[in-house]
Amino acid sequence: MGLLKKRVNEFPTPYTCTNAIKEGGLSTKLSMILMGFGNIVNGQVIKGLIYLFIEIAYLVFMFVNGIGFIAGLKTLGSVEQQEIWDEAKQIYTYTKGDQSILILLYGVAAILITVLMIVIWRGTLKSAYKAECLRKEGKHVNNFSEDLKTLLNENLYRLFMTPPTAFVFIFTILPLVFMICMAFTNYSRIDNHLMLFDWVGLDNFKTLFDSKSILGSTFWSVLAWTVIWAFFATFSNYIFGMILSLLINRKGTRAKGFWRFCFVLSCAVPMFVSLLIMRTMLQPEGAVNVLLRNLGLIASDKSLPFFTDPTWARVTVIIINIWVGVPYTLLQLTGVLQNIPEDLYEAARVDGANAIQTFTKITLPYMLYVTTPYLIVTFTGNINNFNVIYLLSGGDPVTDLSSTAGKTDLLVTWLYKLTIDKQYYNIGAVIGIMTFVILAIGALFTYRNSKSYKEEGGF
């Protein structure tokens, strides 16, 4: 029943757009057409003129370019670049054609500017209605200088949140919407669609989900390995880090600082350096194989297939990820263990609880309670763990020459290869969308499971 209840605003205000439209005076309602008119009538001249200037600037932009940008989204351009032989210069010249990528970018930007304008329009309407209500009630209506002063007091959050919100809008939302739109086009090197491309609807998704096609079979294989990798990379680090932290922090362990130093020492070296060193050492002629040959453990003409056999390669990247990731988990859980109240353990011993019961009823629930955000971040990070895979195995080995991915490629490394190496931008955009969906589902699944475990553990 709680989910059916309406959300109650913690700070209710009567100055809403609905009230402005229903109960506002003529000047407020005219502000729906002439932004800032209500503010000007109620004494906020400078503020009203600023709103009016914003509206005029938006209308000029839309009439000059915006409408054309949005209209161009229908076809994404139709004039192809022409190659013409210049007899006088004896060279080929090229006529300027439509560039679909710019048409798509400008069209998306124009739509987002319109959405932003709607938000500003709602703000101006509420501002005009507030000024009208204050004037009718005989209360003071702030002038422009007083409004500026409120930015340093009750409206300080607006002053600090506006710049980061603008940057998020420009550098996150706009590219994200642009990438999503690209997934529904045929923008790629296939058939030379680099300059001019068209909408293809859900064809890219159908191709990717078709297990009979090369891209489809590759996608399902990479997706399965990405989920397996994220699971083992997350929980193997967590479990081994938990074991190490329990062993080091137990009362009978001596020289705790020394043992922590030994395991955390790898954190002092940049991860990419460690990964490149391990990649070199595990090559067929690397230090590990050479040492094994010299010890007589393998034949002189043989080498362990760390990165040449699919199974070996996958196990290798998981083990090395444990080596570079466990120290961070060790540090996290050491801080958690040191903050568990000792009274809980004393009460458990008095009640006759053994070590296993104490661990399952006190230690583990407490650790999960504190480290749930860390688990979620680690799981999502491992799905997008570009560094470990690309720097260590490069996605190899490639067992199928017709495939664009290797046996250790994750969705993110395969996405990199498709866009940078193969220039299949449309398929790359689809994979980007699917990666986001998997991240959201994985994070939600991890959060719910850890939450239910905490509830069952009674912590």
Side-chain angles (χ1 to χ4, degrees):
M1 294 296 294
L3 296 176
L4 300 178
K5 294 181 180 179
K6 289 186 177 181
R7 183 179 178 183
V8 179
N9 193 345
E10 186 177 359
F11 303 102
T13 174
Y15 311 120
T16 62
C17 289
T18 302
N19 291 340
I21 296 173
K22 292 181 179 180
E23 304 174 7
L26 180 62
S27 61
T28 299
K29 292 180 178 178
L30 284 176
S31 297
M32 298 171 60
I33 302 174
L34 295 174
M35 287 171 50
F37 182 78
N39 297 94
I40 295 174
V41 171
N42 291 289
Q44 296 179 323
V45 179
I46 298 178
K47 188 176 184 179
L49 290 176
I50 292 175
Y51 286 150
L52 183 61
F53 173 78
I54 293 175
E55 182 181 16
I56 294 173
Y58 170 75
L59 292 175
V60 170
F61 164 75
M62 291 301 295
F63 282 117
V64 174
N65 293 316
I67 296 176
F69 290 158
I70 296 176
L73 291 175
K74 182 177 181 180
T75 61
L76 295 179
S78 57
V79 180
E80 296 184 359
Q81 188 181 51
Q82 300 293 328
E83 185 181 60
I84 301 176
W85 174 255
D86 191 329
E87 191 66 32
K89 298 181 179 179
Q90 293 293 304
I91 58 173
Y92 282 102
T93 59
Y94 297 89
T95 60
K96 185 178 180 180
D98 292 333
Q99 296 187 35
S100 297
I101 188 171
L102 294 181
I103 294 174
L104 178 60
L105 178 62
Y106 294 156
V108 170
I111 292 176
L112 292 181
I113 290 174
T114 301
V115 172
L116 180 62
M117 187 62 191
I118 293 174
V119 174
I120 297 175
W121 174 83
R122 288 173 57 87
T124 59
L125 188 59
K126 290 189 288 185
S127 177
Y129 181 60
K130 180 179 179 180
E132 179 187 354
C133 292
L134 292 176
R135 185 179 59 83
K136 288 181 178 180
E137 295 170 2
K139 297 181 180 179
H140 177 68
V141 179
N142 287 346
N143 55 33
F144 185 68
S145 61
E146 290 172 336
D147 279 335
L148 290 179
K149 291 179 181 178
T150 62
L151 294 177
L152 299 177
N153 295 287
E154 62 266 25
N155 290 325
L156 184 63
Y157 69 97
R158 294 183 178 180
L159 178 63
F160 284 115
M161 291 303 296
T162 298
T165 301
F167 278 103
V168 168
F169 192 84
I170 297 173
F171 297 108
T172 301
I173 297 178
L174 177 60
L176 184 61
V177 175
F178 177 73
M179 185 204 73
I180 293 174
C181 292
M182 194 180 295
F184 300 93
T185 70
N186 58 352
Y187 178 46
S188 67
R189 177 167 281 181
I190 302 174
D191 299 330
N192 295 321
H193 287 147
L194 288 176
M195 294 294 293
L196 201 62
F197 52 85
D198 305 305
W199 296 107
V200 295
L202 298 174
D203 289 351
N204 295 325
F205 291 87
K206 293 178 181 178
T207 301
L208 201 63
F209 292 149
D210 184 8
S211 58
K212 297 180 180 179
S213 65
I214 296 176
L215 283 174
S217 60
T218 303
F219 169 74
W220 290 112
S221 175
V222 173
L223 175 60
W225 163 240
T226 300
V227 175
I228 293 172
W229 154 263
F231 177 82
F232 281 101
T234 300
F235 292 101
S236 61
N237 280 353
Y238 193 79
I239 292 171
F240 283 108
M242 181 190 304
I243 294 173
L244 282 177
S245 61
L246 290 172
L247 291 175
I248 293 175
N249 288 280
R250 61 191 293 269
K251 289 185 177 180
T253 303
R254 298 180 179 179
K256 292 182 175 62
F258 171 75
W259 295 114
R260 291 195 193 102
F261 170 78
C262 291
F263 286 105
V264 178
L265 184 61
S266 61
C267 296
V269 181
M271 184 179 292
F272 80 93
V273 175
S274 301
L275 294 174
L276 291 177
I277 292 174
M278 291 302 300
R279 178 177 183 174
T280 303
M281 292 177 63
L282 297 177
Q283 292 300 316
E285 298 301 324
V288 175
N289 279 308
V290 171
L291 179 62
L292 293 176
R293 291 182 196 135
N294 293 336
L295 294 175
L297 297 178
I298 58 176
S300 59
D301 59 341
K302 300 291 183 178
S303 60
L304 297 181
F306 291 109
F307 298 124
T308 55
D309 180 81
T311 303
W312 276 76
R314 290 178 173 181
V315 173
T316 299
V317 295
I318 290 175
I319 292 175
I320 295 177
N321 183 72
I322 293 174
W323 172 62
V324 298
V326 160
Y328 296 96
T329 307
L330 173 63
L331 290 176
Q332 292 273 351
L333 296 182
T334 296
V336 174
L337 289 174
Q338 292 177 349
N339 284 279
I340 299 178
E342 186 63 28
D343 295 344
L344 295 175
Y345 292 111
E346 291 180 0
R349 285 192 292 268
V350 170
D351 291 338
N354 55 34
I356 297 177
Q357 291 173 329
T358 301
F359 174 75
T360 56
K361 296 299 182 180
I362 297 178
T363 307
L364 184 58
Y366 193 94
M367 286 194 295
L368 289 176
Y369 180 82
V370 176
T371 59
T372 294
Y374 172 75
L375 272 176
I376 296 174
V377 171
T378 304
F379 183 84
T380 56
N382 280 322
I383 289 180
N384 278 331
N385 201 333
F386 182 87
N387 291 339
V388 172
I389 298 298
Y390 193 79
L391 296 177
L392 195 58
S393 68
D396 294 336
V398 178
T399 58
D400 186 359
L401 296 179
S402 62
S403 176
T404 53
K407 291 299 181 180
T408 59
D409 265 321
L410 305 179
L411 287 175
V412 64
T413 57
W414 187 38
L415 170 61
Y416 177 83
K417 291 180 179 179
L418 283 174
T419 54
I420 302 301
D421 299 337
K422 305 296 183 181
Q423 295 186 358
Y424 295 168
Y425 301 109
N426 52 346
I427 300 298
V430 176
I431 295 173
I433 295 173
M434 296 307 303
T435 303
F436 172 78
V437 173
I438 294 170
L439 284 173
I441 295 175
L444 181 62
F445 177 79
T446 305
Y447 173 75
R448 285 186 174 180
N449 279 343
S450 60
K451 184 178 180 181
S452 62
Y453 187 88
K454 286 183 292 185
E455 292 174 352
E456 292 174 2
F459 221 97

